[in-house]
Protein backbone atom coordinates (compact mmCIF):
# COMPACT_ATOMS: atom_id res chain seq x y z
CA UNK A 1 0.00 0.00 0.00
CA UNK A 2 1.30 3.46 -0.92
CA UNK A 3 0.00 6.58 0.86
CA UNK A 4 0.63 10.33 0.78
CA UNK A 5 3.04 12.15 3.06
CA UNK A 6 1.18 14.24 5.67
CA UNK A 7 1.82 17.99 5.40
CA UNK A 8 4.24 19.48 7.90
CA UNK A 9 6.28 22.66 8.33
CA UNK A 10 9.31 20.81 9.78
CA UNK A 11 11.93 18.70 8.05
CA UNK A 12 10.26 15.33 7.36
CA UNK A 13 13.45 13.31 7.71
CA UNK A 14 14.78 14.94 10.90
CA UNK A 15 11.71 15.90 12.95
CA UNK A 16 8.94 13.48 12.05
CA UNK A 17 8.52 10.01 13.55
CA UNK A 18 5.93 7.37 12.85
CA UNK A 19 4.24 4.45 14.53
CA UNK A 20 4.78 1.89 13.14
CA UNK A 21 8.26 3.05 12.14
CA UNK A 22 8.03 1.63 8.58
CA UNK A 23 5.15 4.06 7.84
CA UNK A 24 7.62 6.93 7.43
CA UNK A 25 8.64 5.29 4.13
CA UNK A 26 5.04 6.02 2.96
CA UNK A 27 4.49 2.48 1.74
CA UNK A 28 4.41 -1.02 3.06
CA UNK A 29 2.87 -4.47 2.92
CA UNK A 30 -0.37 -4.51 4.87
CA UNK A 31 -2.61 -7.46 5.65
CA UNK A 32 -6.33 -7.30 5.07
CA UNK A 33 -8.16 -5.32 7.73
CA UNK A 34 -8.06 -1.92 9.41
CA UNK A 35 -4.76 -0.23 10.23
CA UNK A 36 -3.86 2.98 12.06
CA UNK A 37 -0.67 4.95 11.33
CA UNK A 38 0.46 7.83 13.57
CA UNK A 39 2.87 10.56 12.48
CA UNK A 40 4.36 12.91 15.08
CA UNK A 41 6.21 16.14 14.17
CA UNK A 42 8.52 17.66 16.78
CA UNK A 43 9.53 21.31 16.85
CA UNK A 44 13.29 21.81 16.48
CA UNK A 45 13.14 24.91 18.79
CA UNK A 46 10.63 23.90 21.51
CA UNK A 47 9.14 20.85 23.21
CA UNK A 48 5.95 21.06 21.17
CA UNK A 49 4.71 18.18 19.06
CA UNK A 50 1.77 17.63 16.74
CA UNK A 51 0.38 14.31 15.63
CA UNK A 52 -1.94 13.06 12.97
CA UNK A 53 -3.42 9.65 12.48
CA UNK A 54 -4.07 7.98 9.12
CA UNK A 55 -6.57 5.12 8.98
CA UNK A 56 -6.24 2.60 6.17
CA UNK A 57 -8.72 -0.19 5.48
CA UNK A 58 -7.39 -2.92 3.19
CA UNK A 59 -10.58 -4.59 2.00
CA UNK A 60 -11.10 -8.16 0.97
CA UNK A 61 -12.73 -8.24 -2.47
CA UNK A 62 -12.73 -12.02 -2.84
CA UNK A 63 -16.01 -13.60 -1.74
CA UNK A 64 -16.14 -16.98 0.05
CA UNK A 65 -16.19 -20.05 -2.26
CA UNK A 66 -18.25 -23.21 -2.05
CA UNK A 67 -15.89 -26.20 -1.83
CA UNK A 68 -18.56 -28.88 -1.56
CA UNK A 69 -22.34 -28.79 -1.69
CA UNK A 70 -24.73 -31.73 -1.30
CA UNK A 71 -26.83 -32.74 -4.30
CA UNK A 72 -30.60 -32.42 -4.32
CA UNK A 73 -32.39 -35.55 -3.12
CA UNK A 74 -35.87 -37.00 -2.58
CA UNK A 75 -37.21 -38.50 0.64
CA UNK A 76 -40.59 -40.20 0.87
CA UNK A 77 -43.03 -39.98 3.76
CA UNK A 78 -44.35 -43.24 5.10
CA UNK A 79 -48.06 -44.04 5.00
CA UNK A 80 -49.88 -41.66 7.36
CA UNK A 81 -46.65 -39.78 8.15
CA UNK A 82 -47.02 -35.98 8.26
CA UNK A 83 -43.40 -35.01 9.02
CA UNK A 84 -40.03 -36.61 8.43
CA UNK A 85 -36.70 -35.75 10.02
CA UNK A 86 -34.21 -35.12 7.21
CA UNK A 87 -30.43 -34.92 7.53
CA UNK A 88 -27.73 -34.04 5.00
CA UNK A 89 -24.05 -33.22 4.86
CA UNK A 90 -23.64 -29.47 5.18
CA UNK A 91 -21.74 -27.54 2.48
CA UNK A 92 -18.11 -26.53 3.01
CA UNK A 93 -16.92 -22.96 2.34
CA UNK A 94 -13.42 -21.49 2.07
CA UNK A 95 -12.15 -17.92 1.96
CA UNK A 96 -8.79 -16.21 1.50
CA UNK A 97 -9.21 -14.56 4.93
CA UNK A 98 -11.62 -16.58 7.06
CA UNK A 99 -15.27 -17.52 7.10
CA UNK A 100 -16.82 -15.41 9.86
CA UNK A 101 -20.38 -16.73 9.77
CA UNK A 102 -22.49 -19.31 7.90
CA UNK A 103 -26.25 -18.84 7.78
CA UNK A 104 -28.68 -21.64 6.87
CA UNK A 105 -32.41 -21.59 6.20
CA UNK A 106 -32.68 -25.08 7.77
CA UNK A 107 -30.22 -27.30 9.61
CA UNK A 108 -29.75 -31.07 9.26
CA UNK A 109 -32.25 -32.92 11.43
CA UNK A 110 -35.11 -30.53 10.63
CA UNK A 111 -38.61 -32.05 10.36
CA UNK A 112 -40.16 -31.36 6.95
CA UNK A 113 -43.78 -31.86 5.82
CA UNK A 114 -44.71 -33.11 2.36
CA UNK A 115 -43.61 -30.82 -0.48
CA UNK A 116 -40.57 -29.33 -2.17
CA UNK A 117 -38.19 -27.54 0.20
CA UNK A 118 -35.18 -25.38 -0.62
CA UNK A 119 -32.31 -25.25 1.86
CA UNK A 120 -30.14 -22.16 1.44
CA UNK A 121 -26.69 -21.60 2.96
CA UNK A 122 -24.76 -18.34 2.86
CA UNK A 123 -21.17 -17.80 4.02
CA UNK A 124 -19.83 -14.39 5.04
CA UNK A 125 -16.21 -13.34 5.53
CA UNK A 126 -14.83 -10.53 7.70
CA UNK A 127 -15.52 -7.84 5.10
CA UNK A 128 -19.09 -8.98 4.53
Amino acid sequence: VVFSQPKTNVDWFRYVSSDPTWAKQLEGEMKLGKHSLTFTASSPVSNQTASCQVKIHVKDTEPPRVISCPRSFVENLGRGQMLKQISWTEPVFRDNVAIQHVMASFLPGHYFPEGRHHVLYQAVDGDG
Side-chain angles (χ1 to χ4, degrees):
V1 174
V2 177
F3 42 92
S4 300
Q5 177 178 323
K7 302 286 186 219
T8 181
N9 61 354
V10 297
D11 183 296
W12 175 260
F13 300 100
R14 293 174 64 191
Y15 301 111
V16 176
S17 61
S18 66
D19 182 30
T21 55
W22 59 261
K24 195 168 171 185
Q25 298 169 21
L26 305 176
E27 66 179 18
E29 293 289 324
M30 299 175 99
K31 294 181 180 183
L32 295 171
K34 296 178 182 178
H35 305 272
S36 181
L37 311 176
T38 303
F39 296 94
T40 302
S42 300
S43 170
V45 294
S46 72
N47 289 334
Q48 292 184 325
T49 61
S51 296
C52 74
Q53 194 171 59
V54 177
K55 303 237 183 230
I56 298 174
H57 185 183
V58 181
K59 291 190 170 200
D60 174 25
T61 58
E62 185 178 321
R65 298 180 331 275
V66 178
I67 299 302
S68 69
C69 186
R71 293 184 177 270
S72 295
F73 59 92
V74 174
E75 289 280 341
N76 294 309
L77 293 174
R79 184 175 294 254
Q81 192 176 18
M82 300 297 288
L83 296 172
K84 186 169 184 177
Q85 186 178 25
I86 307 296
S87 291
W88 58 89
T89 301
E90 293 190 285
V92 175
F93 299 93
R94 289 255 164 35
D95 189 64
N96 61 326
V97 180
I99 301 295
Q100 186 171 9
H101 185 72
V102 175
M103 294 165 280
S105 57
F106 298 99
L107 294 174
H110 185 79
Y111 285 87
F112 288 95
E114 179 181 2
R116 182 180 297 254
H117 304 278
H118 297 278
V119 178
L120 175 67
Y121 281 83
Q122 183 177 15
V124 177
D125 64 17
D127 270 342

